[in-house]
Amino acid sequence: MNNLMGNAPRHPGLWVDINTQHKPTQHSTIATLSSRTQGKHELQALTPQLARLSQQGQWVVLISPPNIGYKQMLADAGVRMDRILLVHTKDEVEALWAMEKALTSGTSSAVISWTQALDARDCRRLQLVAKSTQALGIVIEEANRHLPVTILAEQDQGCRQTSLFGSLH
């Protein structure tokens, strides 16, 4: 019963056409954005890029998004809603774990996570994850509302990317 037809290789991993495999060209980065609008304005700025990425057939993953009308915003921008994967988490640790898994799965073109402010350890962890992915990674942090804007700027720990759209897909 174990007859091979033709000259197909025996190992299933070798059945993939080498010319169609995704070959990474450069490493991605994780952009961290601080928001006072729960990420509404930041997501609005990303919608054209998310629409383009959703057309590639991979997932656009939203992790713990607040109720900011994101569904209508994405639909209006032309994002394929059948390519949106919504993940609800119970805490920050689970949200960061979900982001790591979504980024490294190879099935996501973009991963956006809403979270509290990242500490240096979590920021470094996500930067290490970014080395093994080609997906767009965005962390939208809630700004500390009790601190003045000038203090927030001084607390920047170097985890934020200055150019959000420059090096992305």
Side-chain angles (χ1 to χ4, degrees):
M1 255 359 259
N2 288 337
N3 294 341
L4 287 176
M5 303 200 49
N7 58 3
R10 292 181 186 264
H11 190 276
L14 298 176
W15 296 346
V16 179
D17 183 9
I18 294 173
N19 296 325
T20 62
Q21 286 181 337
H22 177 66
K23 295 178 184 174
T25 55
Q26 68 180 27
H27 298 302
S28 298
T29 59
I30 307 294
T32 306
L33 308 173
S34 185
S35 177
R36 293 189 181 274
T37 62
Q38 295 183 313
K40 186 173 185 172
H41 295 301
E42 292 77 9
L43 187 61
Q44 183 69 45
L46 287 168
T47 54
Q49 189 170 15
L50 293 177
R52 186 175 52 80
L53 291 173
S54 72
Q55 300 304 320
Q56 296 175 356
Q58 291 189 315
W59 293 107
V60 173
V61 182
L62 304 179
I63 301 172
S64 300
N67 189 10
I68 55 172
Y70 62 87
K71 289 179 185 176
Q72 189 64 45
M73 188 185 314
L74 294 173
D76 290 346
V79 175
R80 283 183 53 192
M81 298 308 286
D82 64 331
R83 300 312 317 163
I84 298 293
L85 182 62
L86 190 58
V87 178
H88 293 288
T89 60
K90 63 181 179 181
D91 57 21
E92 298 294 315
V93 173
E94 197 173 276
L96 289 173
W97 178 84
M99 184 168 195
E100 286 180 34
K101 291 299 180 188
L103 285 168
T104 58
S105 70
T107 60
S108 304
S109 58
V111 180
I112 304 172
S113 180
W114 282 259
T115 184
Q116 300 297 319
L118 292 177
D119 60 16
R121 181 180 148 262
D122 291 335
C123 181
R124 177 67 181 145
R125 188 172 167 181
L126 287 176
Q127 291 301 333
L128 289 172
V129 167
K131 289 183 178 184
S132 63
T133 184
Q134 290 298 306
L136 164 64
I138 304 287
V139 176
I140 299 177
E141 295 179 341
E142 232 181 273
N144 296 327
R145 297 170 196 245
H146 64 281
L147 295 177
V149 175
T150 55
I151 294 175
L152 285 173
E154 292 171 5
Q155 290 180 342
D156 189 354
Q157 299 175 356
C159 189
R160 287 159 182 61
Q161 302 297 319
T162 54
S163 175
L164 178 59
F165 302 103
S167 65
L168 304 176
H169 299 259

